[in-house]
Amino acid sequence: MSDLYETLKHDLHRFANSIARHEQEGKDLVQDALVKSLEQEDLLEWPRHKQKAWFYRVIKNKLIDQRRKDQRLSSWEEDLDFPVEELTGRRLETVELLSKLPSDQSDIVFKRYWVGLSSKEIGEQLELPASTVRFKLQQAMKRLRNYFEEE
């Protein structure tokens, strides 16, 4: 496992720092992903690109979990006025929407609209051509549009 970490550590820290608010939060995300990787028995048998994608997904999901927890705690601690409640609701709605997409599309939407990465940057992280990223992003947005129309 240490060889795998040495191989991926720069990419994992770069990704975690790009989506986290602070460097320390990024380090915590990577550490949590490493702990979780110890529970994934067959991870070392996977191809390298799938290992990296697995780590990215775990880091992203951990960040979403932390944001949800932070929002719950802040709502208990503060006397919320209307604008903050409105923003909190939007964040929760966004997280809920991402959970309705397949994981690969959810990753791309998250990186594009939360992190603000370009199609090229996302493609470099996921080892996909930028055109494939744009296609998957288009498919994800179509799914979300259909979801809204059904409601």
Side-chain angles (χ1 to χ4, degrees), residues 1 37-47 51 54:
M1 189 58 71
S37 73
L38 297 174
E39 299 169 359
Q40 189 72 30
E41 295 175 7
D42 57 346
L43 182 65
L44 294 176
E45 299 167 11
W46 298 356
Q51 292 171 337
W54 183 89

Side-chain angles (χ1 to χ4, degrees), residues 19 27 48 60 72 83 96 109 127-128 133-134 137:
I19 64 173
K27 288 179 181 177
R48 188 60 45 135
K60 181 201 74 170
R72 274 182 290 196
E96 290 295 322
V109 171
E127 298 179 358
L128 293 171
V133 170
R134 287 191 295 273
L137 183 62

Side-chain angles (χ1 to χ4, degrees), residues 95-110:
V95 170
E96 290 295 322
L97 285 174
L98 287 177
S99 70
K100 297 187 182 309
L101 295 172
S103 64
D104 61 330
Q105 291 180 355
S106 173
D107 285 346
I108 291 172
V109 171
F110 176 80

Side-chain angles (χ1 to χ4, degrees), residues 5 8 10 13 31 50 86 95 110 127:
Y5 173 71
L8 296 177
H10 295 295
H13 283 282
Q31 182 178 355
K50 286 189 175 186
E86 185 178 23
V95 170
F110 176 80
E127 298 179 358

Side-chain angles (χ1 to χ4, degrees), residues 10-28:
H10 295 295
D11 291 336
L12 297 179
H13 283 282
R14 186 175 44 239
F15 174 71
N17 289 336
S18 72
I19 64 173
R21 293 181 193 148
H22 309 287
E23 184 179 343
Q24 185 59 45
E25 186 180 30
K27 288 179 181 177
D28 291 344

